[in-house]
Amino acid sequence: MAIAASTTSDFAFQRCILPQYDARYSIGEALTACPQSGSLLDVMYDWDRLRPPTSWKFFQEKWNHRTDPLCFSGVWRFRELLPFAPVEQIATIGEGQTLLHPAPSVAKYAGMQSGRLYLQYEGMNPSGSFKDNGMSAAFTHARTIGAKRAACASTGNTSASLALYCAVTQDMKAVIFVGSGKIAYGKLSQALDYGALTVQIAGDFDDAMQRVKEISAKLGIYLVNSVNPFRLEGQKTIMFRVLEALRWEPPDWIVVPGGNLGNASAFGKAFMELKHLGLIERVPRLAVINAAGANTLYELYENRGLRWNGGQPDETIVDKYYAELDEQHRRAETIASAIEINRPVNLMKCLRALEFCDGVVREVTDQEILDAKAKVGAGGLGCEPASAASVAGAKLLIEQDVIGRDERVVCILTGHQLKDPTATVAYHGTDQEQFNRILGRRGVKRATFANRAVEVSNDLDEIMRAIQMYS
Ligand code: F0G
């Protein structure tokens, strides 16, 4: 059943992800689900009429014009590949100046040949996480429809990003919902400092997500969580920059932490479109890594056989699993608080991405996450715990011979090291009580790669002796 909706653009529209509905909606509407199917929406383009560039050279040349903010932005210099808004509405604060970093010491840790592992460091974004890629796009869409308030539920990074865009542009008021005690201090401090209205709910992310959907619908507040399809348009550009850094030669694998599954979904869409447009010939494989304490995707995909199935997923598998979670009062629990999520909103889109990219899903323990994080830090790019799940996952997949030692692998480091100092200090510190309280209760037994501070009295000779001994 096709629906012809009024459109504000001849070239872009929203469409239900379930092919049997073929339901289309104007991009002038703020929708977070298909009104017919209740499923997620995509932003779609009429590529035949838009005729986007057929060569990467076009994008490469944008860098010569980087005094233009739209060419400087790592999101909007690819705007011909996300053409849903007029240029004068685009909201940019310099997002996407991120780096693909060869990481020989991390490659060694993961059991790979040197030179084959790269870290895509999204912590360099203005708010310190990959979220700015998507926020810039959602914010742009919000502007085009004249929104005055924007809301999100968050484990911390989405809220920091929304708060920052609101503060810089002064266009909208940010309303953020966080689970009480569930957000790392670095992230909470950002939301407070940037002046967002911060609502702490007695509950976790899954509760906050549920509430923010209800409240934004009731109060007409623009929702910027990744159920918003425009968010994911911005996040596609992470893959464009990875390709750019690899001189447009796709890697063999993209490894990404999985929380709400927005990134994995956006990456899949990016590759579908690039393949369709002839900008790539080969599609990388996708590995999505859950924390073991928040492993819904792993459980459904690897253990219960849930698949996209060409757009006909067996949703009863999901319903049954969620009913079990409820019956057993099971809540997500991991030191990687950013991905402490049991009901990922982009589950279906992620399944589609896994199908298109011949993907795999793995889970890693908090011990593996923190050890990988310490290795990433020692290699020079600090990240927060959730980000290190990608490296821990790559290591596991190499041990399992799923990824070959000589394949080219890109792990996404989604957030900056300073986002969650508590976990880092507890890992490296000497305070056993603190270790047990923060890490031990989550099954972390040892700080395998701890870099302990050396404690000395305030005595010149003793300080010098300590330096000689340890350096
Ligand atoms: N890594 C970090 C640092 C994150 O903040 C998140 C998600 C993820 C990974 C997972 O990404 O949802 O695309 O699978 N953080 C959200 C938030 C949920 O509210 O900041 P995803």
Side-chain angles (χ1 to χ4, degrees), residues 63 66 68-77 90-98 122-129 132-133 135-136 164-165 168-169 237 241:
W63 197 235
R66 61 187 174 277
D68 171 354
L70 295 188
C71 291
F72 180 73
S73 164
V75 171
W76 299 106
R77 75 170 177 272
I90 289 176
T92 176
I93 61 169
E95 58 287 320
Q97 301 311 315
T98 62
E122 290 297 313
M124 286 170 75
N125 273 293
S127 80
S129 87
D132 297 343
N133 294 285
M135 198 55 66
S136 170
L164 180 60
Y165 275 81
V168 173
T169 63
T237 66
R241 297 197 299 274

Side-chain angles (χ1 to χ4, degrees), residues 154-157 159 176 178-189 191 200 337:
S154 185
T155 55
N157 280 326
S159 49
I176 67 164
V178 296
S180 195
K182 290 288 183 185
I183 158 171
Y185 265 18
K187 306 172 189 183
L188 181 60
S189 65
Q200 287 187 298
S337 59

Side-chain angles (χ1 to χ4, degrees), residues 94-112:
E95 58 287 320
Q97 301 311 315
T98 62
L99 183 73
L100 186 75
H101 196 83
S105 62
V106 181
K108 190 167 174 218
Y109 172 66
M112 297 195 63

